[in-house]
């Protein structure tokens, strides 16, 4: 997959979860196909960004709906957390410092690089 397509696919997943533009089933299907590190990054970015946000209930509710629908995502996130790219990102960046597009760009660039 080209960098641009990978970036668009990742942004679609993140936007679907954040904005509610996809059903839990649609999100789960895309997350099942995604790289484990990407799954970990998306969930962690959303959790950190919405930790004290007034819209957190709706967004976190969508994360819960997806994980309840697809329990295997928990293992995928655990696998993704062990990826060296996660350690690199967490040493160099903060989840809260990057907006959705910039975050996905940095992550996909590193995962595809």
């Amino acid at each position: 997959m080209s960098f641009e397509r990978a970036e668009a696919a990742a942004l679609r997943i993140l936007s679907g979860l954040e904005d509610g533009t996809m059903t839990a089933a649609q999100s789960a299907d895309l997350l099942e196909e995604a790289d484990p590190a990407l799954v970990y990054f998306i969930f962690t970015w959303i959790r950190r960004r919405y930790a004290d946000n007034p819209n957190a209930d709706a967004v976190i509710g969508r994360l819960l709906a997806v994980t309840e629908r697809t329990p295997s995502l928990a293992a995928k996130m655990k696998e993704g957390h062990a990826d060296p790219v996660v350690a690199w990102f967490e040493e160099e960046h903060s989840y809260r410092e990057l907006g959705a597009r910039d975050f996905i760009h940095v992550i996909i660039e590193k995962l595809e690089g």
Side-chain angles (χ1 to χ4, degrees):
M1 180 181 305
S2 73
F3 174 82
E4 291 80 14
R5 292 179 86 189
E7 189 173 15
L11 193 55
R12 181 172 179 235
I13 294 168
L14 184 118
S15 296
L17 291 167
E18 186 178 26
D19 302 330
T21 57
M22 291 190 290
T23 66
Q26 291 169 320
S27 295
D29 288 345
L30 293 174
L31 287 163
E32 284 182 310
E33 297 173 15
D35 181 277
L38 180 62
V39 174
Y40 174 82
F41 276 127
I42 287 173
F43 272 69
T44 303
W45 184 88
I46 289 173
R47 286 183 186 135
R48 301 267 173 91
R49 295 285 291 197
Y50 285 88
D52 51 359
N53 186 301
N55 298 319
D57 289 346
V59 177
I60 300 301
R62 286 190 283 277
L63 289 182
L64 291 173
V66 169
T67 55
E68 287 173 358
R69 179 175 185 81
T70 313
S72 62
L73 285 177
K76 193 168 199 170
M77 284 187 282
K78 186 175 182 176
E79 178 185 344
H81 183 254
D83 191 301
V85 173
V86 172
W88 164 82
F89 180 84
E90 291 177 350
E91 288 175 10
E92 299 290 323
H93 298 281
S94 164
Y95 288 95
R96 289 179 160 221
E97 79 183 21
L98 299 170
R101 288 190 183 280
D102 291 336
F103 172 72
I104 291 297
H105 181 80
V106 167
I107 297 307
I108 296 300
E109 187 173 65
K110 196 69 170 175
L111 289 173
E112 297 289 317

